[in-house]
Amino acid sequence: MFFALPATRQNDAAPISQGSLEPTQPGTIETRLWLQEHEWLYDLLRSEGNVSPTFRFPDLISACVSLVFLHDDAPARIFDFLGTQLVLRPPLTPRRRESMWLPQFELLLALQRSPANRHPNPKFQLDQLTTACVALCRQYGDADALVLRQARLNMADRAARWRGPRSG
């Protein structure tokens, strides 16, 4: 039952999937996000602090991934959350289809391919890794401001890379 989000957002509830390598817009990759974390990001998206510019889901999700990966022990934090908290949630929990920017997807892809995600350990999918990053960001003090600040930093980094080096 989906009643926390407006009806226009309910139609994109997606079946559980491993994610898609198909770009949803240039430079992004489709992922899924568990409802609890999606609702938090939706509130952040609609918050008064999200202005000039207004960041959308790819920016917010990517900011969460970036923030988690600022820590040297990011893989351990992510797998600890997955193995102690996410694993206890109902496995058929609906997910929302969203996207993230390619640089942050590449961080999660490397994690998904890491030895920590291979036999004899459980295998976690992209949606679970993405959800873990958002959930871990929710635990930070002043999480909303941190995520919005990181979204600005990521945007500036993308703009600098897109523009390329200046010749002088």
Side-chain angles (χ1 to χ4, degrees):
M1 183 180 242
F2 308 126
F3 50 83
L5 301 174
T8 57
R9 300 286 311 161
Q10 291 179 12
N11 294 334
D12 64 354
I16 298 169
S17 171
Q18 296 179 16
S20 170
L21 295 179
E22 295 296 319
T24 55
Q25 56 190 340
T28 65
I29 298 294
E30 182 180 288
T31 189
R32 308 268 197 255
L33 200 59
W34 289 45
L35 286 180
Q36 184 175 344
E37 286 70 24
H38 187 278
E39 290 170 0
W40 176 68
L41 283 184
Y42 185 77
D43 288 343
L44 180 56
L45 174 87
R46 306 287 293 167
S47 73
E48 292 179 8
N50 188 15
V51 294
S52 298
T54 301
F55 293 105
R56 296 189 171 105
F57 271 95
D59 301 305
L60 300 175
I61 292 170
S62 295
C64 289
V65 173
S66 293
L67 283 169
V68 171
F69 276 89
L70 287 176
H71 301 276
D72 291 336
D73 64 344
R77 288 176 184 222
I78 291 168
F79 283 113
D80 181 61
F81 174 83
L82 293 170
T84 61
Q85 295 180 48
L86 195 71
V87 73
L88 297 177
R89 295 184 190 178
L92 298 179
T93 298
R95 278 81 158 161
R96 297 284 185 188
R97 185 178 322 162
E98 294 297 346
S99 56
M100 76 174 80
W101 291 101
L102 192 55
Q104 288 74 29
F105 165 75
E106 290 171 348
L107 291 170
L108 294 181
L109 184 61
L111 189 60
Q112 188 176 21
R113 293 177 175 168
S114 73
N117 204 34
R118 289 191 203 133
H119 182 75
N121 300 312
K123 180 179 179 183
F124 292 101
Q125 302 297 335
L126 179 61
D127 70 309
Q128 295 161 323
L129 298 170
T130 306
T131 297
C133 288
V134 175
L136 289 169
C137 280
R138 287 181 70 190
Q139 297 174 2
Y140 297 152
D142 205 16
D144 292 5
L146 285 172
V147 170
L148 292 172
R149 177 168 163 48
Q150 187 63 49
R152 290 178 185 285
L153 294 171
N154 288 356
M155 181 181 171
D157 183 58
R158 280 193 313 276
R161 280 186 281 125
W162 179 77
R163 184 179 60 230
R166 291 186 175 181
S167 55

